[in-house]
Amino acid sequence: MTKDDPAILDLAAAVLASAAPADKTAAARRAFAALQKPWLGGLRPATNIPDRPARPARPVLVSPGEVPRRRPGSQEGRIALLHALAHIEFNAIDLAFDMAVRFAPAVAADGLDAGAFIADWVGVGADEARHFEMLEERLAGLGAAYGDHPAHDGLWEAAESTRSDLLARLSVAPMALEARGLDVTPGMIERLSAAGDAESAAILRVIYREEVGHVAAGVRWFEAVCAARGLKPRETFRRLVADHLAGGLKPPFNVEARARAGFSSAYYEAG
């Protein structure tokens, strides 16, 4: 990097400011590429953090009940399913980069390694961008495109309620919502395989494998921040989920995949 290169957090903020999917994923790649070079910009706070990530005009956002049914037995149903997953991954790009931009100062204030925190979440965001592109390409192969169906804004609404609390964001985003993906993705893979859609199933296997690492990052930082603040992780997680996640945690849980992420069942099972 040269003295004129932007700080890493400015590059992360640029992802949030990009609306078009191609622009957002390209910005994610630029931010990730910057991780491989000396950070001459240091950990200077971002100069332009949008209150809400930029979004394309499509898909149209509607209430959850208006989103098309996602039964993979037909091509139309598979397209609806893949579109919904692409929308989740598109939101997940912003969730990861917002985590880095918004909460790195709080991590530093807790005496933890803000550079490692930024690197983890920029890396997660780059994964999410790649996942989105895989799904977008698969939709194109089925004669569809991201934006063809309406979608809902539930993921970002959950994030907005935690915008001022690092532990709440870690609880809701990676440890509740992303961990939920570990619970439901194996079933989707099975249904796609049964429907003869091996290509879509293969994409979900990649996403499933990599999402374990994303949940692991959430658990790791949650426990580190709790330790720095003298808080009990299990009790803190349960309180924050109850405060910020409508409907709470929904079983059944994929205990094996969660364990691989270092996410003990003591956090989420009754008892």
Side-chain angles (χ1 to χ4, degrees):
M1 297 179 77
T2 73
K3 63 182 178 63
D4 297 320
D5 285 326
I8 185 68
L9 290 177
D10 283 329
L11 290 169
V15 178
L16 303 174
S18 300
D23 293 341
K24 194 177 290 289
T25 55
R29 286 193 296 273
R30 283 193 295 272
F32 182 72
L35 294 179
Q36 319 308 316
K37 304 174 184 179
W39 294 5
L40 296 188
L43 302 182
R44 186 175 69 240
T47 56
N48 182 28
I49 306 174
D51 289 335
R52 180 181 175 83
R55 287 283 187 268
R58 298 170 70 243
V60 174
L61 298 179
V62 298
S63 68
E66 297 177 81
V67 175
R69 302 290 292 274
R70 306 187 291 262
R71 293 174 176 167
S74 66
Q75 179 159 313
E76 180 179 308
R78 289 194 294 278
I79 288 171
L81 172 62
L82 295 170
H83 190 280
L85 294 173
H87 185 65
I88 289 169
E89 297 296 330
F90 192 72
N91 276 269
I93 300 169
D94 286 324
L95 283 169
F97 283 98
D98 187 79
M99 183 84 81
V101 170
R102 187 174 303 279
F103 294 112
V107 170
D110 283 324
L112 301 171
D113 187 344
F117 180 83
I118 292 165
D120 273 350
W121 294 106
V122 168
V124 169
D127 284 349
E128 307 291 17
R130 181 166 41 80
H131 296 169
F132 172 78
E133 290 176 323
M134 293 165 65
L135 290 163
E136 187 179 42
E137 182 177 355
R138 181 60 183 142
L139 283 169
L142 294 170
Y146 179 60
D148 284 354
H149 290 283
H152 67 79
D153 204 30
L155 271 179
W156 193 256
E157 288 170 357
E160 288 216 312
S161 78
T162 63
R163 62 183 299 163
S164 61
D165 187 332
L166 169 58
L167 286 174
R169 177 64 64 85
L170 288 165
S171 295
V172 168
M175 295 175 69
L177 299 176
E178 198 149 12
R180 181 63 179 158
L182 298 182
D183 302 334
V184 302
T185 301
M188 289 189 286
I189 292 170
E190 289 181 7
R191 291 192 293 275
L192 287 167
S193 297
D197 191 345
E199 188 171 346
S200 296
I203 292 170
L204 264 62
R205 287 190 186 96
V206 172
I207 293 173
Y208 175 64
R209 182 175 65 249
E210 295 182 353
E211 299 288 1
V212 171
H214 301 175
V215 175
V219 173
R220 183 170 63 252
W221 284 106
F222 182 84
E223 292 181 344
V225 174
C226 282
R229 298 181 184 180
L231 299 172
K232 295 180 179 179
R234 177 181 177 274
E235 290 81 355
T236 301
F237 172 73
R238 292 193 176 205
R239 172 178 58 79
L240 291 170
V241 166
D243 288 347
H244 294 280
L245 187 64
L249 303 175
K250 297 178 181 179
F253 303 113
N254 185 339
V255 175
E256 185 274 332
R258 287 168 175 249
R260 284 191 280 120
F263 197 7
S264 165
S265 62
Y267 277 101
Y268 54 84
E269 291 194 330

